[in-house]
Amino acid sequence: MVALTVLSASAAFAETDNFDAYARGAEPGGWTCGVTGKGTPRWAVDTDPSAPSAPNVLRQSASGTFPWCVEKGVSLADGFVEVKFKPEKGREDQAGGIVWRWKNGDDYYVARANALENNVSLYYTVNGKRNTIEYVNAPVPANVWHTLRVEFSGARIKVMLDGKPCIEQEDSHI
């Protein structure tokens, strides 16, 4: 399970979504949720009084190879995306992540911080196949709120966890 609050911005655009305006128990309106690979993830707005922007969060509570949830109609070529997440449960992964340069459920970048593996990773997904760009060891305690941020401009990508730079790469796959 992961609980999220999302912030994205560029020079001309800034938006924060804390999920407080959505009905609890359902996917948030204006968002599309799915999975790259196998499984049936369940995304729903839920209450978490510990959330940085209480009361609501977006929680993923089922299983899927690479579950995702993206806001419809948002396009950001260069800028940053930031998510506050709390890894709660999971046998294979307890992670929070960010997708950007989203084309569809088979083509996008993703950065992830995983509490079970204590790492931060950067991938690109093309034609439904996830490809590793870089992994770095980083402490990601479970049941604690973290901030994952990705800054991107052209081919430059910078991934930060809790304000600390973890990955800086150049990649032009997407």
Side-chain angles (χ1 to χ4, degrees):
M1 248 190 266
V2 67
L4 308 171
T5 299
V6 181
L7 170 68
S8 59
S10 70
F13 167 86
E15 180 178 318
T16 300
D17 200 335
N18 59 16
F19 303 101
D20 290 343
Y22 304 103
R24 292 186 191 122
E27 286 184 8
W31 289 70
T32 300
C33 303
V35 63
T36 301
K38 298 178 182 178
T40 53
R42 182 176 187 284
W43 293 90
V45 174
D46 199 2
T47 301
D48 184 339
S50 75
S53 63
N56 286 356
V57 296
L58 178 61
R59 182 170 273 131
Q60 200 290 110
S61 61
S63 64
T65 311
F66 304 121
W68 46 259
C69 197
V70 297
E71 189 173 11
K72 296 176 189 174
V74 174
S75 179
L76 185 61
D78 295 322
F80 75 88
V81 181
E82 181 175 284
V83 64
K84 296 184 186 306
F85 72 98
K86 179 171 70 170
E88 298 175 311
K89 298 179 184 177
R91 289 186 305 259
E92 290 184 38
D93 284 322
Q94 289 180 21
I98 298 174
V99 297
W100 74 99
R101 297 222 171 118
W102 174 266
K103 292 184 178 183
N104 55 51
D106 289 332
D107 300 281
Y108 54 90
Y109 281 105
V110 62
R112 179 187 77 161
N114 189 328
L116 290 181
E117 298 172 355
N118 276 314
N119 67 20
V120 174
S121 49
L122 175 61
Y123 308 93
Y124 69 93
T125 303
V126 173
N127 296 323
K129 183 177 184 294
R130 183 176 278 190
N131 302 277
T132 302
I133 298 173
E134 186 174 355
Y135 281 104
V136 297
N137 293 328
V140 185
N143 295 307
V144 173
W145 284 96
H146 299 279
T147 301
L148 185 65
R149 179 181 174 112
V150 178
E151 298 174 356
F152 46 95
S153 179
R156 291 183 316 117
I157 301 168
K158 182 177 182 179
V159 181
M160 292 170 281
L161 178 65
D162 297 328
K164 298 175 184 169
C166 294
I167 297 172
E168 293 191 47
Q169 284 284 345
E170 291 206 11
D171 189 89
S172 57
H173 283 92
I174 301 173

